């Protein structure tokens, strides 16, 4: 009799774990704003790097960076975009997650500039071998007709100065 009671209790405790819930688990959602530093069109993902400092790694500062899958066909390198991340973020650096494109922030083109700021950033990202670049400064020197770009290399933990000529 006691064995039957224990068997019934055991079945009642274990049975709910075997039943599939019709609801899917809640997926965490948040927004991420950053510059598109790189695109991988084959995997339909883009590397977004924030320009606000997130934490220190040892004594070195580090900025948020995530590979966001599902957005590469909607963004271009050099653009500042906002995406909604969906699901878990793999905690590698840069992180990896999926998301949906929300919006682009049009960067202000200084008076007298020939190039758009997005094109300047695209050239700066390709000119330097920086794996995870953070945009710290972007300015036009009208007298010299050059853009001065300061990037922070998150893998080497140092600033890199890049000069881009302001012409097509």
């Amino acid at each position: 009799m006691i064995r039957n009671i224990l068997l019934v209790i055991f079945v009642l405790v274990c049975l709910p774990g075997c039943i599939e819930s019709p609801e899917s688990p809640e997926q965490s959602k948040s927004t991420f704003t950053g510059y598109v530093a790189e695109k991988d069109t084959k995997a339909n993902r883009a590397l977004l790097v924030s320009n606000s400092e997130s934490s220190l790694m040892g004594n070195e500062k580090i900025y948020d960076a995530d590979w966001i899958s599902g957005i590469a066909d909607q963004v271009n390198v050099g653009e500042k975009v906002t995406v909604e991340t969906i699901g878990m973020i793999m905690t590698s650096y840069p992180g990896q997650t999926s998301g949906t494109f929300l919006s682009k922030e049009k960067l202000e083109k200084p008076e007298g500039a020939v190039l758009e700021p997005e094109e300047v950033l695209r050239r700066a990202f390709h000119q330097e071998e920086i794996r995870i670049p953070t945009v710290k400064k972007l300015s036009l020197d009208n007298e010299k007709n050059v853009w001065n770009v300061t990037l922070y290399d998150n893998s080497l933990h140092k600033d890199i100065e890049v000069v881009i000529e302001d012409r097509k």
Side-chain angles (χ1 to χ4, degrees), residues 36 38-48 67-77 79 99 101:
V36 180
E38 190 176 337
K39 279 177 47 167
D40 179 353
T41 53
K42 288 183 182 178
N44 191 20
R45 66 183 191 156
L47 175 62
L48 267 59
W67 278 104
I68 313 286
S69 64
I71 66 165
D73 57 345
Q74 300 168 14
V75 299
N76 294 305
V77 172
E79 294 178 327
F101 171 77

Side-chain angles (χ1 to χ4, degrees), residues 120-138:
V120 172
L121 290 175
R122 199 170 7 265
R123 291 180 186 189
F125 292 157
H126 291 291
Q127 182 174 327
E128 292 294 323
E129 289 297 320
I130 302 175
R131 283 195 45 233
I132 309 168
T134 294
V135 177
K136 291 185 71 178
K137 181 182 168 194
L138 176 65

Side-chain angles (χ1 to χ4, degrees), residues 8-166:
V8 169
I9 291 172
F10 177 76
V11 168
L12 290 175
V13 169
C14 292
L15 192 58
C18 298
I19 299 173
E20 226 177 273
S21 172
E23 302 171 10
S24 64
E26 288 286 323
Q27 291 194 0
S28 65
K29 292 183 179 184
S30 64
T31 58
F32 185 97
T33 301
Y35 290 92
V36 180
E38 190 176 337
K39 279 177 47 167
D40 179 353
T41 53
K42 288 183 182 178
N44 191 20
R45 66 183 191 156
L47 175 62
L48 267 59
V49 183
S50 170
N51 65 338
S52 57
E53 198 173 311
S54 69
S55 64
L56 292 176
M57 188 168 68
N59 291 331
E60 306 295 341
K61 60 187 167 190
I62 194 164
Y63 296 82
D64 284 333
D66 288 328
W67 278 104
I68 313 286
S69 64
I71 66 165
D73 57 345
Q74 300 168 14
V75 299
N76 294 305
V77 172
E79 294 178 327
K80 188 171 186 180
V81 300
T82 299
V83 298
E84 180 179 58
T85 60
I86 301 168
M88 295 180 56
I89 297 176
M90 293 176 65
T91 58
S92 58
Y93 188 75
Q96 298 177 50
T97 189
S98 59
T100 55
F101 171 77
L102 293 178
S103 64
K104 293 180 185 179
E105 182 180 317
K106 181 69 176 156
L107 302 176
E108 189 175 327
K109 182 178 179 180
E111 189 175 322
V114 174
L115 296 176
E116 294 291 332
E118 293 84 358
E119 176 61 25
V120 172
L121 290 175
R122 199 170 7 265
R123 291 180 186 189
F125 292 157
H126 291 291
Q127 182 174 327
E128 292 294 323
E129 289 297 320
I130 302 175
R131 283 195 45 233
I132 309 168
T134 294
V135 177
K136 291 185 71 178
K137 181 182 168 194
L138 176 65
S139 63
L140 176 66
D141 183 338
N142 276 319
E143 290 179 16
K144 296 180 182 176
N145 290 327
V146 296
W147 288 84
N148 296 305
V149 183
T150 303
L151 301 173
Y152 180 78
D153 187 325
N154 282 288
S155 52
L156 298 176
H157 307 291
K158 68 176 188 174
D159 287 340
I160 296 178
E161 302 292 331
V162 181
V163 177
I164 304 291
E165 290 188 35
D166 187 42

